[in-house]
């Protein structure tokens, strides 16, 4: 029985590419390991897989009795539902430390860098394993995605150096141009059902006993949402009721203007006022400079709900 590597629910490019990259490393080290995913892939991730010739990892949501590595998260609500019945071999992540615990010893690589793939590159270097060209390309794209082409405050020197090294292996002369191409794919939202957009990059958080759902859409130009905003707002209100959330937030992030419009439905009318000193007007507020959910949204909300 092989081991698995799986990222978080509603997988993003980092979760998928790190599952692929870590599986190859572990298998090369003599431990048969296969990548898996907990949900459908976004157009951006499909673009990366297609570009570098990968199949989608196996869709697998149940892990009872299996052994697995967890990548790109360590929060129970974001992982497989039956994680308690699985053996966790390791956690590789760059988020806040979550609430996953284990009953057996495990390997942990957690670093405050911009992307899980940056940590996996460190693991390849540690084990002195050569990264295949196509895996290097996928890892590089994941880092460009997670760091918003180095603009995110989560981006570190390690991420930038890692992209340079991976670009060289993959034979890509202009990584930033490829990054922009990727964000153009990500920005194509027209014709997509509203609920699919809301859930495209959506994560649950348990903050002091309150369930919050926070989605994010990163685009090159926010004006593409002009005709859609009312529908998006109505949909997160429905989702709040359906999922019994304390709050649902959708971040519409403009990667060129470098800020986010928050669409908010919450039991607390003063949620953003408390967290940012800026109140919502008709359920929406623009906050300059906010690009990163993990660094500029989750901690602020968590503190304000303490
Ligand atoms: Mn990530």
């Amino acid at each position: 029985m092989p081991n698995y590597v799986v990222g978080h629910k509603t997988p993003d490019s980092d979760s998928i590419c790190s599952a692929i990259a870590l599986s190859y490393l572990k298998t090369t080290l003599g431990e048969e390991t296969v990548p898996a995913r907990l949900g459908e892939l976004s157009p951006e991730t499909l673009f990366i897989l297609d570009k570098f010739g990968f199949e989608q990892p196996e869709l697998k949501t149940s892990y009872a009795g299996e052994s697995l590595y967890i990548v790109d998260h360590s929060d129970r609500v974001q992982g497989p539902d039956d994680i308690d019945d699985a053996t966790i071999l390791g956690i590789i992540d760059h988020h806040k430390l979550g609430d996953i615990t284990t009953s057996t010893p495990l390997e942990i690589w957690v670093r405050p860098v911009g992307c899980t793939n940056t940590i996996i590159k460190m693991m390849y270097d540690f084990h002195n394993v050569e990264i295949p060209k196509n895996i290097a390309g996928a890892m590089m794209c994941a880092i460009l995605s997670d760091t918003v082409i180095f603009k995110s405050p989560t981006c570190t020197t390690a991420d930038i150096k890692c992209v340079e090294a991976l670009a060289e292996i993959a034979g890509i002369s202009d990584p930033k141009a490829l990054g922009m191409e990727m964000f153009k794919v990500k920005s194509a939202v027209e014709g997509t059902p509203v609920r699919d957009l809301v859930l495209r990059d959506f994560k649950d958080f348990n903050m002091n006993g309150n369930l919050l759902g926070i989605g994010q859409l990163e685009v090159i130009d926010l004006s593409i949402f002009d005709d859609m905003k009312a529908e998006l707002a109505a949909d997160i209100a429905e989702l709040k009721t359906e999922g019994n959330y304390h709050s649902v937030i959708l971040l519409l992030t403009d990667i060129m203007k470098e800020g986010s419009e928050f669409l908010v439905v919450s039991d607390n009318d003063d949620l953003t006022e408390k967290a940012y000193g800026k109140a919502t007007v008709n359920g929406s507020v623009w906050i300059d400079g906010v690009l990163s959910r993990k660094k500029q949204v989750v901690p602020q909300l968590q503190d304000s709900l303490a």
Side-chain angles (χ1 to χ4, degrees), residues 8 12 14-15 72 93-95 114-117 146 203 294:
H8 52 76
D12 62 0
D14 188 22
S15 275
D72 203 29
D93 188 30
H94 68 127
H95 294 83
C115 183
T116 305
N117 277 278
D146 261 19
K203 287 181 182 174
K294 76 168 69 64

Side-chain angles (χ1 to χ4, degrees), residues 174-230:
D174 192 348
K176 282 189 179 178
L178 179 55
M180 273 310 279
E181 206 184 317
M182 209 171 63
F183 274 94
K184 270 181 201 147
V185 172
K186 204 173 198 173
S187 298
V189 296
E190 268 167 78
T192 309
V194 171
R195 178 57 62 90
D196 291 4
L197 287 178
V198 169
L199 296 181
R200 181 172 280 179
D201 176 7
F202 193 86
K203 287 181 182 174
D204 285 347
F205 298 89
N206 183 341
M207 297 187 186
N208 276 296
N210 304 302
L211 180 63
L212 276 81
I214 309 174
Q216 183 173 29
L217 292 167
E218 294 165 313
V219 296
I220 288 170
D221 182 359
L222 218 57
S223 68
I224 58 159
F225 293 120
D226 283 353
D227 297 335
M228 240 183 264
K229 240 175 248 176

Side-chain angles (χ1 to χ4, degrees), residues 16 86 116-117 126 160 173 186 204 206 212 229 235 245 265 273 300:
I16 296 301
T116 305
N117 277 278
F126 177 82
I160 297 169
S173 55
K186 204 173 198 173
D204 285 347
N206 183 341
L212 276 81
K229 240 175 248 176
D235 195 66
Y245 286 99
V265 280
E273 173 123 52
Q300 287 73 3

Side-chain angles (χ1 to χ4, degrees), residues 96-280:
K96 75 180 178 67
L97 193 57
D99 52 3
I100 289 176
T101 57
T102 68
S103 49
T104 47
L106 78 165
E107 172 179 15
I108 292 197
W109 292 67
V110 176
R111 302 284 188 279
V113 293
C115 183
T116 305
N117 277 278
T118 300
I119 306 169
I120 294 177
K121 166 73 163 62
M122 294 173 192
M123 296 173 75
Y124 272 88
D125 293 346
F126 177 82
H127 290 289
N128 204 12
V129 170
E130 216 171 289
I131 307 176
K133 212 172 160 174
N134 59 341
I135 292 184
M139 292 171 77
M140 187 197 78
C141 280
I143 300 170
L144 290 167
S145 170
D146 261 19
T147 63
V148 193
I149 321 179
F150 308 144
K151 290 183 186 197
S152 171
T154 59
C155 184
T156 65
T157 334
D159 300 296
I160 297 169
K161 283 195 174 150
C162 192
V163 164
E164 286 167 2
L166 293 168
E168 181 148 356
I169 298 168
I172 288 159
S173 55
D174 192 348
K176 282 189 179 178
L178 179 55
M180 273 310 279
E181 206 184 317
M182 209 171 63
F183 274 94
K184 270 181 201 147
V185 172
K186 204 173 198 173
S187 298
V189 296
E190 268 167 78
T192 309
V194 171
R195 178 57 62 90
D196 291 4
L197 287 178
V198 169
L199 296 181
R200 181 172 280 179
D201 176 7
F202 193 86
K203 287 181 182 174
D204 285 347
F205 298 89
N206 183 341
M207 297 187 186
N208 276 296
N210 304 302
L211 180 63
L212 276 81
I214 309 174
Q216 183 173 29
L217 292 167
E218 294 165 313
V219 296
I220 288 170
D221 182 359
L222 218 57
S223 68
I224 58 159
F225 293 120
D226 283 353
D227 297 335
M228 240 183 264
K229 240 175 248 176
E231 278 178 84
L232 289 168
D235 195 66
I236 60 170
E238 269 174 44
L239 184 61
K240 180 180 181 298
T241 312
E242 286 165 27
N244 213 358
Y245 286 99
H246 172 278
S247 308
V248 176
I249 298 170
L250 184 62
L251 303 166
L252 305 177
T253 300
D254 190 316
I255 70 161
M256 303 313 285
K257 291 198 183 81
E258 302 193 16
S260 294
E261 179 170 352
F262 288 53
L263 302 184
V264 183
V265 280
S266 177
D267 291 342
N268 290 14
D269 289 335
D270 58 355
L271 191 74
T272 60
E273 173 123 52
K274 267 184 151 173
Y276 295 98
K278 228 177 151 183
T280 50

Side-chain angles (χ1 to χ4, degrees), residues 1-141:
M1 214 164 58
N3 299 327
Y4 288 92
V5 185
V6 75
H8 52 76
K9 286 173 180 155
T10 52
D12 62 0
S13 298
D14 188 22
S15 275
I16 296 301
C17 297
S18 53
I20 291 170
L22 186 63
S23 297
Y24 178 85
L25 175 64
K26 288 294 174 186
T27 303
T28 304
L29 294 171
E31 205 181 296
E32 196 197 339
T33 305
V34 296
R37 62 187 165 96
L38 290 182
E40 295 310 314
L41 301 187
S42 73
E44 181 200 69
T45 308
L46 292 170
F47 167 86
I48 297 171
L49 296 186
D50 182 57
K51 171 123 192 126
F52 296 103
F54 291 103
E55 298 290 320
Q56 295 191 29
E58 175 187 338
L59 177 65
K60 180 174 168 65
T61 51
S62 174
Y63 293 86
E66 316 256 23
S67 297
L68 78 163
Y69 291 91
I70 296 287
V71 289
D72 203 29
H73 71 289
S74 64
D75 275 302
R76 296 169 53 93
V77 284
Q78 293 170 15
D81 291 332
D82 57 1
I83 197 161
D84 285 344
D85 305 318
T87 303
I88 299 174
L89 300 169
I91 298 174
I92 297 91
D93 188 30
H94 68 127
H95 294 83
K96 75 180 178 67
L97 193 57
D99 52 3
I100 289 176
T101 57
T102 68
S103 49
T104 47
L106 78 165
E107 172 179 15
I108 292 197
W109 292 67
V110 176
R111 302 284 188 279
V113 293
C115 183
T116 305
N117 277 278
T118 300
I119 306 169
I120 294 177
K121 166 73 163 62
M122 294 173 192
M123 296 173 75
Y124 272 88
D125 293 346
F126 177 82
H127 290 289
N128 204 12
V129 170
E130 216 171 289
I131 307 176
K133 212 172 160 174
N134 59 341
I135 292 184
M139 292 171 77
M140 187 197 78
C141 280

Side-chain angles (χ1 to χ4, degrees), residues 285-305:
V285 61
W286 167 266
I287 299 181
D288 225 28
V290 170
L291 290 173
S292 165
R293 174 172 47 198
K294 76 168 69 64
K295 205 161 182 172
Q296 296 171 298
V297 179
V298 172
Q300 287 73 3
L301 290 173
Q302 198 148 326
D303 286 351
S304 77
L305 287 168

